[in-house]
Amino acid sequence: MRALDVVLLIVVLVLTLVVLAAAVFGARVLRGLQTRPAPEDPAYIAEKDRQEQSLAALRTAADEANSTIDVAKSAAAAARTEAAAAKAEAKAARAEARRVLDDARAEADTVLERAHKQAEADAEQLRTAARRSGEREVAVLAATTREQAAEVERRAARMDERERMHTEEVERLAERERQLTAASAALAAREAALDAREKELAEAESQRRRELERVAGLTADSARAELVEAIEGQAKREAALLVREIESDARSTAEQRARHIVVDAIQRVASEQTAESVVSVLHLPGDEMKGRIIGREGRNIRAFESVTGVNLIIDDTPEAVLLSCFDPVRREVGRLTLEKLVLDGRIHPHRIEEVHDLARQEVDQLCQRAAEDALVEVGITEIHPELVTLLGRLRYRTSYGQNVLKHLVETAHIAGIMAAELRLDVPLIKRSAFLHDIGKALTHEVEGSHAIIGADVARKYGESEDVVHAIEAHHNEVPPQTVEAVLTQASDACSGGRPGARRESLEAYVKRLERIEEIAAGKLGVEKVFAMQAGREIRVMVKPDDVDDIGAAVLARDVAKQIEEELTYPGQIRVTVVRESRVTEIAR
């Protein structure tokens, strides 16, 4: 029961009590009137009038009470009606709440089902990405395994070759030992013959002395003096002839011995022929990948060439593209970048920049590992880390078509063999020969000859003075003063002069392209320069804040004019100046 019903009930009870009290009071008044004196009495009449007035007032009060009761009943009925309406509204509200709750439950089920589907889709995407990542890892591991297997095969071949040469050396030593044995026997026979002849000479000398004394009548002392003088003159003449013969024999033997040492060193070093190129081939999983590499209206291929500086050639060759660049480091970075993009499948300008940075870091790691492998092959263990980094830069550096790092390894082996034949300090001479071209890693950063630069670098990082002198003297900028410097020169000449080691045309071609890039890079406002299309096109990236459109046109004309004046080249060279404005904002 609500509070309003209680209040109404209390009001009705109070009014009922008032009406009952009025009725009792009226009954008492009536009984009093019946017991009063005769109406003729004035006091009685007054009292009667007063009581009638009181009775009328009570009746009025009773009527008012009845009216109030009716009003209260009406209010109670209205309250009950309101209560019923409130109950109906509460029931409707409960029904509406139940309906809303059912709708909410249905919506929650729908959202939950959609969330399950989305989670399944995300899980499928994650599984796909993981599978792709696994495939990439498997491909990388397979490539690494192949490289390691090839390296093992190469080392096995080298070990077989060394074993063969060791066997030949053993046979040669055995043959030399047999020759020495025969020579010892011949020498013993000759010594016996000399002893016999010496006895005969002694007897003849005795007879000659007696005959001289008899014929000349000379004393023994006079004859001895004359004999000594004659023998002395003859001995001087024979000694002069013997010295001349020994000198001639020494010259011929030394020349033959030196020739033998050089030939033996070259024969015992198995080195690769020159196989440098300016083009790399990348195989694709399918021809449809070519369209994704090109991109919409060629934007991907333009972005790739602008970022890497490598010319991308896409022709009718099935499932393959060509990367052309004279700089082998830049070409290798471009090849790794394109390979990672093809494996990833996402090819767009921003992704090309990200993958290019990763590829450049990977090439740096490859250079570091190549330097460490070269040091292990040569047998050098203690060396400054900065020298290892500089040696790694030579992995992609060529000199007349010959790889410089392989040239250093070959030179060290040749010098080591020569030093072993001459019984000199093999580790010191191998170290001098291995570091003699270290300056080529800095020739584009420091002015001067690579021999002088290399000597300064070696001295800076704690190499001995013998090694430093061998480095600075291997091209005669400084006269060679030690046997290490002479052997370094000889081994360098043997490595560079063997057939197939170097190719002059490629070196001239690379120098021409480098000079083209240097001409453009020396202009004001230039950010990056790439020589492309085998030197037939040069692409110049300028800073948009420093060079406007008119300045770009002037820059292109100046670069073309300077190239015409300084260089000799076939055909034409197109100079393209690119001025690009890029605005980047970050939404947080």
Side-chain angles (χ1 to χ4, degrees):
M1 184 180 294
R2 295 189 304 170
L4 181 60
D5 295 338
V6 174
V7 173
L8 291 177
L9 181 60
I10 293 173
V11 171
V12 171
L13 291 176
V14 171
L15 293 177
T16 303
L17 292 177
V18 171
V19 171
L20 290 176
V24 171
F25 182 74
R28 287 180 180 178
V29 172
L30 288 176
R31 282 195 301 269
L33 289 176
Q34 291 176 2
T35 58
R36 295 290 180 178
E40 289 81 7
D41 189 359
Y44 172 75
I45 294 171
E47 182 64 25
K48 183 180 180 181
D49 292 337
R50 189 180 60 79
Q51 290 179 354
E52 289 179 351
Q53 292 176 356
S54 299
L55 184 59
L58 288 173
R59 288 174 179 170
T60 304
D63 293 336
E64 291 179 355
N66 289 330
S67 300
T68 305
I69 291 171
D70 293 336
V71 171
K73 290 180 177 179
S74 300
R80 291 189 189 94
T81 304
E82 292 178 357
K87 289 180 179 180
E89 290 179 357
K91 185 176 182 181
R94 290 191 190 95
E96 181 65 21
R98 192 175 296 109
R99 185 185 63 78
V100 171
L101 182 59
D102 293 338
D103 294 341
R105 287 175 179 172
E107 182 67 22
D109 293 338
T110 303
V111 172
L112 184 59
E113 183 179 0
R114 190 182 300 115
H116 282 308
K117 292 181 179 179
Q118 183 65 29
E120 291 178 356
D122 294 340
E124 183 64 26
Q125 292 179 356
L126 290 176
R127 284 195 294 270
T128 303
R131 185 164 55 253
R132 289 179 179 174
S133 177
E135 291 175 355
R136 288 196 298 272
E137 292 294 333
V138 168
V140 173
L141 289 176
T144 304
T145 304
R146 287 195 297 270
E147 291 180 359
Q148 292 178 353
E151 181 65 22
V152 169
E153 291 178 357
R154 287 194 296 271
R155 290 188 178 181
R158 286 198 296 270
M159 290 181 66
D160 294 340
E161 182 66 20
R162 289 177 182 175
E163 184 176 357
R164 184 185 63 79
M165 290 188 293
H166 179 69
T167 304
E168 293 178 356
E169 183 67 20
V170 170
E171 294 177 355
R172 189 162 51 251
L173 290 175
E175 181 65 24
R176 191 175 298 173
E177 185 176 358
R178 288 193 296 270
Q179 293 176 359
L180 289 175
T181 303
S184 298
L187 184 60
R190 187 175 181 181
E191 285 179 354
L194 287 175
D195 290 339
R197 187 173 181 181
E198 187 175 344
K199 291 179 181 179
E200 293 177 357
L201 289 175
E203 183 65 25
E205 182 66 24
S206 177
Q207 292 179 359
R208 181 185 178 189
R209 184 182 301 111
R210 288 193 299 269
E211 184 67 21
L212 286 174
E213 289 178 354
R214 185 183 63 82
V215 173
L218 297 175
T219 61
D221 293 336
S222 301
R224 188 181 298 110
E226 184 178 351
L227 182 62
V228 168
E229 184 178 356
I231 293 174
E232 183 178 359
Q234 184 179 0
K236 287 182 178 179
R237 183 175 179 278
E238 291 178 356
L241 293 176
L242 182 61
V243 167
R244 184 180 302 173
E245 183 180 356
I246 291 174
E247 288 179 352
S248 177
D249 189 22
R251 290 192 186 95
S252 61
T253 304
E255 184 177 356
Q256 183 178 2
R257 178 65 175 166
R259 188 180 297 111
H260 172 73
I261 291 174
V262 172
V263 172
D264 186 58
I266 294 176
Q267 287 178 347
R268 289 174 59 183
V269 174
S271 300
E272 300 176 357
Q273 298 291 321
T274 301
E276 299 295 332
S277 176
V278 295
V279 177
S280 297
V281 180
L282 179 66
H283 296 282
L284 302 177
D287 286 337
E288 66 276 2
M289 184 60 68
K290 293 182 179 180
R292 300 179 62 182
I293 293 174
I294 295 173
R296 183 180 300 175
E297 298 179 356
R299 66 169 186 170
N300 289 343
I301 191 172
R302 287 197 301 271
F304 181 86
E305 292 179 348
S306 298
V307 172
T308 63
V310 177
N311 189 30
L312 193 59
I313 303 173
I314 301 177
D315 52 13
D316 296 335
T317 305
E319 298 181 355
V321 295
L322 301 179
L323 296 93
S324 175
C325 181
F326 74 95
D327 188 346
V329 178
R330 193 190 304 169
R331 187 174 68 251
E332 180 66 13
V333 172
R335 189 190 66 79
L336 287 178
T337 301
L338 188 58
E339 182 179 0
K340 291 178 181 295
L341 289 172
V342 170
L343 289 176
D344 186 26
R346 295 176 295 169
I347 304 177
H348 52 81
H350 182 65
R351 180 63 179 167
I352 290 173
E353 294 180 357
E354 295 178 352
V355 177
H356 177 258
D357 294 336
L358 296 177
R360 186 166 52 191
Q361 296 175 5
E362 185 173 346
V363 168
D364 292 339
Q365 294 176 359
L366 290 175
C367 293
Q368 185 76 11
R369 186 164 57 188
E372 294 172 355
D373 293 341
L375 289 169
V376 171
E377 184 176 356
V378 175
I380 298 176
T381 56
E382 296 181 0
I383 191 170
H384 197 281
E386 290 296 330
L387 292 179
V388 178
T389 303
L390 293 177
L391 288 170
R393 294 185 186 180
L394 301 177
R395 182 176 189 265
Y396 296 104
R397 175 68 186 266
T398 60
S399 177
Y400 299 98
Q402 185 181 27
N403 185 278
V404 176
L405 187 58
K406 293 180 180 178
H407 165 64
L408 294 181
V409 174
E410 181 180 353
T411 304
H413 287 319
I414 294 174
I417 294 171
M418 290 182 178
E421 291 288 339
L422 297 174
R423 294 179 177 82
L424 300 174
D425 190 351
V426 176
L428 177 61
I429 293 177
K430 289 181 69 174
R431 192 182 191 96
S432 301
F434 184 71
L435 296 176
H436 78 277
D437 274 346
I438 189 69
K440 289 186 177 180
L442 294 173
T443 51
H444 63 289
E445 299 176 4
V446 181
E447 295 294 333
S449 169
H450 72 273
I452 304 300
I453 295 172
D456 293 339
V457 171
R459 186 180 293 108
K460 176 182 178 182
Y461 293 117
E463 293 296 327
S464 64
E465 285 300 323
D466 293 334
V467 175
V468 172
H469 175 67
I471 294 173
E472 66 185 0
H474 78 275
H475 279 320
N476 288 321
E477 280 92 353
V478 175
Q481 302 292 335
T482 62
V483 66
E484 290 83 5
V486 174
L487 284 183
T488 300
Q489 277 187 341
S491 58
D492 183 25
C494 290
S495 175
R498 64 180 177 83
R502 295 186 173 184
R503 190 166 59 231
E504 177 72 26
S505 58
L506 178 61
E507 183 70 15
Y509 162 74
V510 172
K511 286 185 176 180
R512 176 166 59 84
L513 295 187
E514 289 178 349
R515 180 54 187 161
I516 291 175
E517 288 191 350
E518 289 176 0
I519 290 174
K523 302 299 181 182
L524 184 63
V526 175
E527 184 176 9
K528 292 187 294 185
V529 180
F530 298 130
M532 311 181 72
Q533 296 289 345
R536 292 190 296 272
E537 178 181 356
I538 177 172
R539 195 164 296 177
V540 183
M541 312 294 176
V542 299
K543 300 176 182 177
D545 297 335
D546 298 340
V547 180
D548 55 10
D549 293 338
I550 299 176
V554 174
L555 177 62
R557 187 176 64 252
D558 293 343
V559 171
K561 186 176 180 181
Q562 187 172 354
I563 291 175
E564 289 177 357
E565 294 175 353
E566 295 187 9
L567 300 178
T568 301
Y569 49 89
Q572 299 177 347
I573 297 179
R574 176 182 298 174
V575 180
T576 303
V577 178
V578 179
R579 180 176 178 269
E580 179 184 11
S581 298
R582 183 179 299 182
V583 178
T584 303
E585 286 292 339
I586 299 176
R588 296 182 176 88

